[in-house]
């Protein structure tokens, strides 16, 4: 930390203006980019532990309620819910568990880094949120196993935060990727049904274009919205969540027969056919939300988190739809599934009450609907119309797996920024040359890492 | 206690006591980090791990042998070219606004105002101005009857000049104020004497104004060169280095290397190279200008 602070300081001294610009920019796109990442990349670090589901014994709830006592504090990342929704949660939770005093504490910025500091100090709240900052192997040092909470249904991401057969984290909710679209725009272009294959998708785009509507808002210039083409769409095409990890095993991850090439070719095709914004190098994220809301633009290829933002930008909820992206002509809908933060309970805290709280958050709070997440309980229908519609297409979910350090290392060594690579791939006259160069960089870096 | 010492020793003690703190601050916050930067440039530190290995000159070899890294300097050139024009225009306005012009304070203010605006705000503002479909610039051009779909931010050969023109708008006023201050320091009787001898406006500009501005021109060129080499905020916000890396500058590359690819060693080496580059360019500039002055 000390060294990084020094380097940062030196850089700041040299760049003078740059520091504030970096900060501000991060802040501006933060909400979107962050939640986007949570949706697509929220992979845990290591260790697919054993299945712990068998141990869970149903406890007699009535008896348990009175046994749970004392104070329990939840360290949340949702500063915006303090004194609002959380007051309501507290009332409902304490009504169910009269012996418990539920408290909320929030961290506004950089939750992961601050949580690390709190944990290092030895004093941290009973219930915290964990993402990737803490390796799974360290869980037993800090957290209590949560296997004995009896949920009414199977959980998503059950094993992602496990170590040596015990589960230490329960997902707060899931995120997926698909096409968010304006139903009015579709109706205006005469599209009766959402496309089920890639060809139908192109046809629909053509109809939208003919109707004077921009078919697909790529937000090309801002780079981060292009991340989906290297993560989510790749998962959809391959049906496998670990394509990114498997790159570590090859010298040519971006070759012409790779899923990456296939995925990037789709957006290149859309660019060539004029289905993206008029000038992709001059797009505007904030404006695009309004344009989707008013029907000037028809579709986004992003995570479900954007739905609430489009509604916030002025769209009527019933006008906004969400369907799985048909990345091929097979006709079977697929969608990636990634987790947001995980609940974890401090091993030294009030674990009984903490477990009761986690159980309550998953089963009864309705937090996932408020946050716009896919419910953690596998078969629980979402309270959000768009997510219910999405599930109605019966997509096969490709659940995220732990990321591999090695692939990340190679990518960093090769200095490959995949989003910039997508830009180059789409704009270049000769995309083969672009991937050849990337493959060459990759192979060179891979040799160095091994 | 001090009374027993003689005056010059007292003076020394006082001076050392007063200077110690600023020097200490300078050493801690400027020189130590700079030395640390040089040290890091010889390691492969990843930004997190407690240890790092010394890898000799490998990072420097990478900087100079990888065209991906060194090649971006050509994008910085546009800022330098526009910076020269900016200085010429600044001198022009300074001379005009130094004369007896009605409302000259108002014009000075108008030209200087952009400099006060925050750089990030300016960058955001201009990303709206240059927007292809909804930008005010294309709107204006369209109303004048020309083609209104120029992609100011999407044309690879134009993008750096588009961005540099924002820098022009922002810093021209500052350059002008510096020139203006220098102009006001030139005694007016020289001009009167020249006028009596029959020198016209252009001649007195060439033989009185310019020589008197020499040092200041040098200063402004210094600012222009360093500014062009270290530009970061404009492309970072307006284009994110796009389209396809055409507007990526060297400093953006450094930031990306350090904070995205976690290669702090290489990033440090790049910073040191940039530092050396600035020193070399300025030495050349000084040498050329001073030789010109002595002829």
């Amino acid at each position: 930390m000390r060294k990084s602070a020094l380097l940062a300081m030196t850089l700041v001294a040299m760049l003078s203006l740059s520091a504030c610009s970096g900060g501000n920019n991060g802040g501006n796109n933060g909400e979107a980019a962050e939640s986007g990442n949570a949706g697509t990349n929220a992979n845990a670090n290591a260790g697919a532990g054993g299945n712990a589901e068998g141990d869970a014994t149903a406890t007699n709830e009535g008896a348990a309620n009175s046994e749970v006592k004392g104070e329990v504090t939840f360290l949340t990342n949702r500063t915006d819910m303090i004194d609002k929704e959380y007051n309501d949660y507290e009332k409902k939770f304490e009504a169910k568990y009269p012996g418990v005093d539920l408290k909320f504490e929030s961290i506004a910025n950089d939750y992961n880094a601050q949580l690390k500091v709190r944990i290092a100090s030895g004093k941290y709240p009973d219930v915290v949120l964990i993402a990737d900052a803490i390796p799974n192997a360290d869980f037993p040092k800090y957290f209590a196993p949560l296997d004995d909470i009896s949920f009414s249904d199977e959980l998503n991401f059950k094993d992602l935060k496990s170590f040596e057969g015990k589960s230490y984290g329960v997902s707060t909710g899931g995120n997926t990727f698909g096409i968010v679209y304006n139903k009015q725009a579709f109706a205006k272009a005469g599209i009766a049904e959402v496309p089920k294959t890639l060809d139908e998708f192109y046809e629909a785009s053509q109809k939208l274009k003919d109707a004077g509507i921009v078919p697909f808002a790529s937000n090309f210039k801002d780079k981060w919205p292009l991340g989906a083409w290297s993560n989510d769409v790749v998962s959809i095409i391959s049906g496998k969540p670990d394509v990114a990890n498997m790159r570590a095993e090859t010298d040519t991850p971006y070759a012409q027969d790779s899923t990456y090439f296939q995925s990037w070719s789709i957006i290149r095709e859309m660019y060539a056919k004029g289905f993206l914004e008029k000038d992709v190098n001059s797009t505007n994220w904030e404006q695009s939300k309004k344009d989707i809301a008013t029907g000037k633009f028809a579709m986004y290829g992003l995570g479900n988190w954007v739905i609430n933002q489009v509604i916030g930008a002025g769209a009527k909820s019933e006008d906004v739809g969400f369907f799985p992206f048909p990345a091929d002509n097979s006709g079977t809908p697929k969608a990636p599934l990634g987790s947001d933060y995980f609940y974890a309970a401090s091993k030294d805290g009030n674990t009984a009450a903490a477990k009761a709280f986690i159980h309550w958050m998953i089963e009864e709070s309705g937090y996932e609907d408020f946050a716009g997440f896919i419910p953690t309980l596998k078969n629980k229908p979402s309270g959000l119309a768009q997510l219910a519609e999405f599930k109605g297409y019966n997509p096969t979910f490709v659940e995220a797996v732990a990321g591999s350090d090695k692939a990340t290392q190679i990518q960093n060594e090769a200095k490959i920024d995949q989003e910039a690579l997508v830009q180059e791939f789409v704009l270049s006259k000769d995309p083969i040359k672009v991937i050849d160069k990337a493959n060459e960089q990759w192979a060179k870096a891979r040799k160095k890492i091994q | 206690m001090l009374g027993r010492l003689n005056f010059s020793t007292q003076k020394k003690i006082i001076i050392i006591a007063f200077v110690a703190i600023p020097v200490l601050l300078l050493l801690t916050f400027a020189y130590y980090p700079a030395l640390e930067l040089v040290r890091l440039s010889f390691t492969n530190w990843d930004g997190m791990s407690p240890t790092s290995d010394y890898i000799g000159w490998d990072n420097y070899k990478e900087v100079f042998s990888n065209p991906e890294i060194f090649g971006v300097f050509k994008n910085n050139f546009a800022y330098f070219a526009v910076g020269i024009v900016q200085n010429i225009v600044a001198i022009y306005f300074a001379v005009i606004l130094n004369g007896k012009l009605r409302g000259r304070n108002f014009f000075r203010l108008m030209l200087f105002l952009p400099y006060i605006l925050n750089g990030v705000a300016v960058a955001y503002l201009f990303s709206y101005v240059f927007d292809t479909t909804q930008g005010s610039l294309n709107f204006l051009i369209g109303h004048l009857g020309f083609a209104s779909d120029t992609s100011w931010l999407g044309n690879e050969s134009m993008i750096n000049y588009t961005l540099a023109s924002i820098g022009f708008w922002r810093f021209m006023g500052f350059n002008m104020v510096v020139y203006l201050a220098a102009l006001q320091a030139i005694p007016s009787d020289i001009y009167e004497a020249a006028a009596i001898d029959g020198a016209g406006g252009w001649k007195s500009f060439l033989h009185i104004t310019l020589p008197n501005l020499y040092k200041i021109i040098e200063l402004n060129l210094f600012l222009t060169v360093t500014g062009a080499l270290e530009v970061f905020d404009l492309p970072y916000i307006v284009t994110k280095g796009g389209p396809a890396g055409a507007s990526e500058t060297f400093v953006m590359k450094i930031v990306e290397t350090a904070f995205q690819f976690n290669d702090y060693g290489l990033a440090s080496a790049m910073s040191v190279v940039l530092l050396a580059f600035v020193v070399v360019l300025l030495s050349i500039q000084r040498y050329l200008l001073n030789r010109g002055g002595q002829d």
Side-chain angles (χ1 to χ4, degrees):
Chain A
M1 275 325 279
R2 188 178 61 91
K3 284 181 186 164
S4 104
L6 281 175
L7 184 78
M9 246 157 52
T10 321
L11 277 172
V12 165
M14 289 183 66
L15 316 178
S16 62
L17 289 167
S18 60
C20 61
S21 64
N24 275 358
N25 193 274
N28 197 283
N29 286 338
E31 47 163 351
E34 236 170 57
S35 25
N37 283 342
T40 55
N41 303 331
N43 299 333
N45 281 337
N51 196 341
E53 153 210 6
D55 307 336
T57 45
T59 44
N60 182 338
E61 236 181 43
N65 285 3
S66 52
E67 277 166 33
V68 178
K69 279 194 205 70
E71 204 173 274
V72 61
T73 311
F74 172 42
L75 188 68
T76 176
N77 63 330
R78 294 297 296 258
T79 320
D80 56 318
M81 290 170 73
I82 295 272
D83 288 334
K84 288 186 193 141
E85 289 80 8
Y86 281 148
N87 282 356
D88 191 38
Y89 284 15
E90 189 179 343
K91 236 180 266 160
K92 285 187 187 153
F93 181 74
E94 286 174 0
K96 188 170 177 192
Y97 298 92
V100 180
D101 182 14
L102 176 64
K103 288 189 169 153
F104 294 94
E105 202 184 312
S106 73
I107 292 179
N109 288 313
D110 211 350
Y111 188 96
N112 287 323
Q114 293 207 35
L115 177 66
K116 262 187 167 175
V117 176
R118 295 285 294 267
I119 286 179
S121 79
K123 282 196 168 177
Y124 48 101
D126 308 285
V127 182
V128 299
L129 298 170
I130 52 175
D132 291 350
I134 302 161
N136 286 24
D138 288 346
F139 288 161
K141 276 193 262 175
Y142 312 121
F143 305 123
L146 302 174
D147 300 303
D148 56 346
I149 307 179
S150 59
F151 292 104
S152 62
D153 191 7
E154 290 262 311
L155 298 185
N156 288 324
F157 313 106
K158 189 157 178 38
D159 299 327
L160 220 48
K161 293 289 172 198
S162 311
F163 184 68
E164 290 182 339
K166 286 180 182 155
S167 166
Y168 293 88
V170 173
S171 168
T172 56
N175 286 304
T176 188
F177 166 91
I179 302 293
V180 176
Y181 68 107
N182 184 315
K183 289 183 181 168
Q184 296 291 344
F186 269 45
K188 200 177 146 201
I191 305 164
E193 256 184 63
V194 302
K196 298 270 189 313
T197 65
L198 187 58
D199 287 341
E200 282 176 32
F201 184 76
Y202 287 148
E203 265 169 49
S205 301
Q206 188 61 47
K207 278 187 194 161
L208 285 161
K209 195 185 167 196
D210 294 341
I213 298 163
V214 175
F216 190 91
S218 65
N219 283 300
F220 196 84
K221 185 201 89 175
D222 285 319
K223 265 188 178 177
W224 63 262
L226 297 175
W229 297 94
S230 308
N231 297 308
D232 305 295
V233 180
V234 167
S235 297
I236 293 173
I237 293 173
S238 65
K240 293 182 211 134
D242 60 346
V243 180
N245 295 351
M246 293 310 286
R247 288 179 306 168
E249 310 301 323
T250 169
D251 271 342
T252 54
Y254 306 111
Q256 284 184 64
D257 56 355
S258 71
T259 338
Y260 286 96
F261 189 87
Q262 210 183 327
S263 165
W264 298 347
S265 297
I266 297 175
I267 186 168
R268 186 179 157 88
E269 179 80 7
M270 285 164 67
Y271 171 71
K273 288 187 171 162
F275 294 160
L276 308 184
E277 296 95 330
K278 193 174 168 201
D279 182 359
V280 292
N281 293 306
S282 151
T283 56
N284 185 326
W285 164 243
E286 290 301 328
Q287 183 63 36
S288 78
K289 285 194 273 188
K290 286 177 205 144
D291 288 341
I292 294 267
T294 55
K296 242 171 106 182
F297 291 178
M299 298 185 278
Y300 264 143
L302 289 170
N304 45 294
W305 53 267
V306 81
I307 294 169
N308 282 340
Q309 296 203 18
V310 171
I311 293 169
K316 277 190 232 146
S317 178
E318 62 264 30
D319 285 346
V320 183
F322 191 40
F323 65 87
F325 178 55
D328 49 33
N329 284 323
S330 67
T332 29
K334 279 176 279 184
L337 188 62
S339 175
D340 207 77
Y341 280 104
F342 288 80
Y343 296 111
S346 162
K347 116 181 129 61
D348 303 320
N350 184 354
T351 35
K355 283 176 188 171
F357 176 69
I358 294 170
H359 180 268
W360 185 83
M361 281 301 278
I362 297 292
E363 300 269 356
E364 293 171 44
S365 70
Y367 169 67
E368 68 273 8
D369 287 346
F370 176 78
F373 294 148
I374 292 172
T376 304
L377 297 170
K378 271 212 164 98
N379 296 309
K380 186 178 181 187
S382 174
L384 294 179
Q386 288 81 10
L387 285 177
E389 179 194 346
F390 192 83
K391 273 203 161 172
Y393 299 110
N394 270 325
T396 315
F397 280 109
V398 184
E399 202 173 293
V401 294
S404 114
D405 284 347
K406 203 165 155 206
T408 315
Q409 263 179 8
I410 298 175
Q411 190 180 334
N412 283 345
E413 178 64 37
K415 310 274 183 293
I416 290 177
D417 174 355
Q418 286 189 151
E419 286 144 24
L421 198 59
V422 175
Q423 283 191 332
E424 224 179 314
F425 185 88
V426 169
L427 295 176
S428 170
K429 283 193 193 76
D430 186 1
I432 308 293
K433 229 162 124 188
V434 175
I435 56 161
D436 281 350
K437 200 180 84 189
N439 277 333
E440 198 181 301
Q441 280 170 282
W442 183 274
K444 213 174 120 198
R446 184 162 170 259
K447 210 183 263 168
K448 231 172 152 181
I449 295 288
Q450 262 161 359
Chain B
M1 190 187 105
L2 284 175
R4 270 195 241 147
L5 304 166
N6 65 31
F7 182 68
S8 71
T9 323
Q10 279 186 34
K11 204 165 98 180
K12 267 182 205 153
I13 289 175
I14 297 281
I15 288 174
I16 290 170
F18 272 100
V19 167
I21 291 170
V23 167
L24 209 66
L25 287 175
L26 189 71
L27 288 177
T28 335
F29 294 111
Y31 288 96
Y32 172 66
L35 287 177
E36 186 71 10
L37 184 77
V38 174
R39 190 185 70 78
L40 283 177
S41 71
F42 292 102
T43 70
N44 61 356
W45 191 48
D46 64 0
M48 281 168 285
S49 77
T51 56
S52 58
D53 304 318
Y54 281 89
I55 53 167
W57 292 91
D58 280 9
N59 284 330
Y60 288 92
K61 274 181 210 152
E62 175 79 15
V63 173
F64 286 105
S65 63
N66 189 342
E68 291 276 311
I69 295 176
F70 215 67
V72 294
F73 267 123
K74 72 174 190 303
N75 297 340
N76 286 70
F77 178 78
Y79 297 90
F80 177 70
V82 172
I84 300 290
V85 179
Q86 171 190 327
N87 272 286
I88 295 170
V89 174
I91 294 179
Y92 175 75
F93 275 116
V95 170
I96 289 184
L97 293 179
N98 194 38
K100 288 190 183 62
L101 189 75
R102 188 188 292 265
R104 63 179 179 176
N105 280 333
F106 172 76
F107 288 119
R108 281 179 194 175
L109 185 73
M110 290 311 287
L111 288 172
F112 184 67
L113 265 183
Y115 179 71
I116 301 168
L117 290 180
N118 176 287
V120 179
V122 169
Y124 272 111
L125 191 138
F126 272 91
S127 59
Y128 285 96
V129 171
F130 286 122
D131 192 290
T132 305
T133 40
Q134 285 153 337
S136 52
L137 182 62
N138 273 341
F139 179 79
L140 179 74
I141 292 175
H143 269 250
L144 294 175
F146 299 100
S148 66
D149 56 354
T150 314
S151 175
W152 299 103
L153 301 171
N155 186 327
E156 290 186 24
S157 53
M158 195 160 65
I159 175 69
N160 286 306
Y161 290 92
T162 306
L163 290 173
S165 71
I166 304 174
F168 177 97
W169 179 83
R170 181 152 175 247
F171 291 109
M172 198 279 286
F174 174 76
N175 289 146
M176 181 200 74
V177 166
V178 175
Y179 286 127
L180 206 53
L183 283 178
Q184 282 167 355
I186 304 173
S188 56
D189 45 357
I190 305 182
Y191 287 103
E192 280 165 25
I196 290 166
D197 287 344
W202 176 244
K203 268 199 164 167
S204 56
F205 172 78
L206 216 55
H207 296 289
I208 303 170
T209 314
L210 266 190
N212 275 298
L213 282 181
Y214 214 74
K215 283 282 167 214
I216 301 298
I217 292 176
E218 202 182 321
L219 168 76
N220 271 331
L221 275 182
F222 166 85
L223 294 175
T224 303
V225 171
T226 50
L229 283 174
E230 293 172 2
V231 64
F232 171 80
D233 51 348
L234 286 175
Y236 187 81
I237 291 168
V238 181
T239 64
K240 301 272 186 314
S247 66
E248 196 166 30
T249 65
F250 195 67
V251 175
M252 278 178 79
K253 206 92 191 167
I254 295 178
V255 172
E256 192 184 40
T257 307
F259 298 102
Q260 185 174 347
F261 300 132
N262 291 335
D263 197 341
Y264 282 64
L266 182 60
S268 306
M270 288 163 78
S271 305
V272 173
V273 167
L274 179 64
L275 204 65
F277 223 68
V278 171
V279 172
V280 168
L281 274 184
L282 290 180
S283 310
I284 295 173
Q285 182 199 315
R286 268 197 78 94
Y287 174 75
L288 290 177
L289 284 177
N290 284 345
R291 201 185 51 175
Q294 277 153 14
D295 278 348

